[in-house]
Amino acid sequence: MANSLFQQLNPQSQASNGLNMNAIQSVKNMMNMFKGATNPQQMMMNMMSQNPQLAGVMNMLNGRNPKDVFYEQCKQSGINPDEVINALR
């Protein structure tokens, strides 16, 4: 089952590489917040309680390797994972 976060990244967006740059920017912002957090675990719990999409991602992981799940979901959604990774840099 594809998560709505991956659906937001889907190539049906306005960017030339097919990625939804608003979704990419949201992920970048989240990454920066984690880098500056004193308690990333607590921050994640707070964010999950406020954001059902993030809670859905965590449920999708279900103890699995996040990298494996990311590549699996990209494949199912028709997204090139390398383009997403490059956009996040």
Side-chain angles (χ1 to χ4, degrees):
M1 176 175 131
N3 182 279
S4 60
L5 182 61
F6 284 94
Q7 291 169 349
Q8 287 180 21
L9 293 172
N10 206 352
Q12 299 170 343
S13 66
Q14 55 278 44
S16 63
N17 63 0
L19 297 177
N20 181 328
M21 296 312 291
N22 289 331
I24 293 291
Q25 189 59 47
S26 293
V27 173
K28 280 184 171 182
N29 291 342
M30 189 184 316
M31 289 168 51
N32 287 331
M33 288 183 346
F34 276 107
K35 287 179 185 175
T38 55
N39 187 343
Q41 178 113 12
Q42 183 60 47
M43 183 180 163
M44 176 65 82
M45 298 302 283
N46 291 342
M47 291 173 72
M48 285 175 31
S49 69
Q50 297 171 3
N51 185 334
Q53 287 181 323
L54 185 57
V57 169
M58 297 308 290
N59 287 335
M60 186 183 353
L61 291 176
N62 195 23
R64 296 172 47 203
N65 182 325
K67 181 180 177 181
D68 294 341
V69 173
F70 169 73
Y71 278 90
E72 176 185 297
Q73 289 296 310
C74 283
K75 183 177 179 180
Q76 288 179 7
S77 300
I79 299 170
N80 180 343
D82 295 325
E83 288 182 12
V84 175
I85 292 168
N86 289 335
L88 289 171
R89 292 187 175 150

